[in-house]
Amino acid sequence: PWLFTAEAAMSSLLSSSLLPAAAVQAAPAVVAVLRANTVSSFSILYASHARWPLPLTPSSTSPPLTISVLDSSFNPAHLAHLAIANHLPSSAHGPPAHLLLLSSKNVDKEPKAGEASPGQRLEMMRVVAREMERLGRSEEGAARGAANVAVGVIEDEPTFVGKSRVLNRELAELVLQHCAGVRAPVVRLCFSQGASFSLSLFTLELH
């Protein structure tokens, strides 16, 4: 039986190809925020810095801001999630921001007994985000914007069309708040997915 703290789970994430669903206990603060999410269908539960999704260091220019979204069940989080999350979208104008997104509903997946709870998955996502921050300190990681990462949850939006609509609205508003009178960049979303899900798009009418 796996029973690790979040810090120990990070070591497990690095040394194995799979982080067991029970490896990380749900953080009380994360669960509390999740339960308190009643105002908007989208909430940010963790961010690498206060200016996310903008770069930590302000820029004199405002090119389009690409936000690479990894929408996954994270059941459990593993090294493939880390690899996909670190992907650099070809359309990005400079280092992108990254969002690890957990959906309360997905059109192609139904909850099953014995799976990791939402709180456990969010805590594992935080471990992945912190590892991305560590990788972002390298020259290659900085070019990929790895350190500019957040963990979020979206409620009752099972399709990519619905998620895109909510994220575009909420993230554009967040960027405007950060810019405070300065010209805000245009927000562009890029959804990253694994090969198995990409294949399902061509074989099943999911989205």
Side-chain angles (χ1 to χ4, degrees):
W2 296 83
L3 185 61
F4 291 147
T5 63
E7 298 303 321
M10 185 179 294
S11 298
S12 174
L13 177 67
L14 294 174
S15 61
S16 67
S17 60
L18 186 68
L19 183 64
V24 183
Q25 296 298 296
V30 171
V31 177
V33 173
L34 179 61
R35 290 174 177 168
N37 179 32
T38 57
V39 177
S40 171
S41 59
F42 171 67
S43 294
I44 297 173
L45 306 183
Y46 174 83
S48 54
H49 58 85
R51 281 175 48 83
W52 189 93
L54 295 176
L56 179 59
T57 303
S59 172
S60 58
T61 61
S62 56
L65 174 63
T66 298
I67 302 178
S68 179
V69 182
L70 176 55
D71 174 29
S72 180
S73 61
F74 297 94
N75 185 37
H78 48 72
L79 290 179
H81 289 119
L82 181 61
I84 297 172
N86 272 309
H87 173 70
L88 177 63
S90 59
S91 59
H93 295 263
H98 298 270
L99 174 63
L100 307 179
L101 184 68
L102 180 66
S103 301
S104 64
K105 290 184 179 180
N106 277 312
V107 72
D108 60 326
K109 291 184 179 180
E110 292 292 334
K112 297 179 181 178
E115 291 186 330
S117 69
Q120 288 174 320
R121 298 185 198 192
L122 288 167
E123 183 63 10
M124 287 189 281
M125 292 163 68
R126 187 181 69 86
V127 173
V128 174
R130 291 187 64 182
E131 176 59 13
M132 290 180 66
E133 291 179 64
R134 188 189 70 82
L135 295 174
R137 291 196 287 269
S138 69
E139 183 176 346
E140 180 181 357
R144 294 177 179 274
N148 192 16
V149 58
V151 173
V153 61
I154 192 166
E155 302 281 347
D156 301 324
E157 291 292 349
T159 67
F160 280 120
V161 173
K163 293 170 188 176
S164 296
R165 181 174 58 250
V166 172
L167 291 177
N168 269 311
R169 180 185 68 241
E170 298 286 341
L171 294 176
E173 182 178 337
L174 179 60
V175 167
L176 281 173
Q177 292 174 7
H178 288 328
C179 287
V182 180
R183 182 181 178 183
V186 175
V187 172
R188 294 177 177 174
L189 300 181
C190 176
F191 284 86
S192 300
Q193 293 295 333
S196 60
F197 183 85
S198 299
L199 180 62
S200 72
L201 293 177
F202 297 97
T203 58
L204 297 173
E205 296 181 0
L206 298 177
H207 303 274

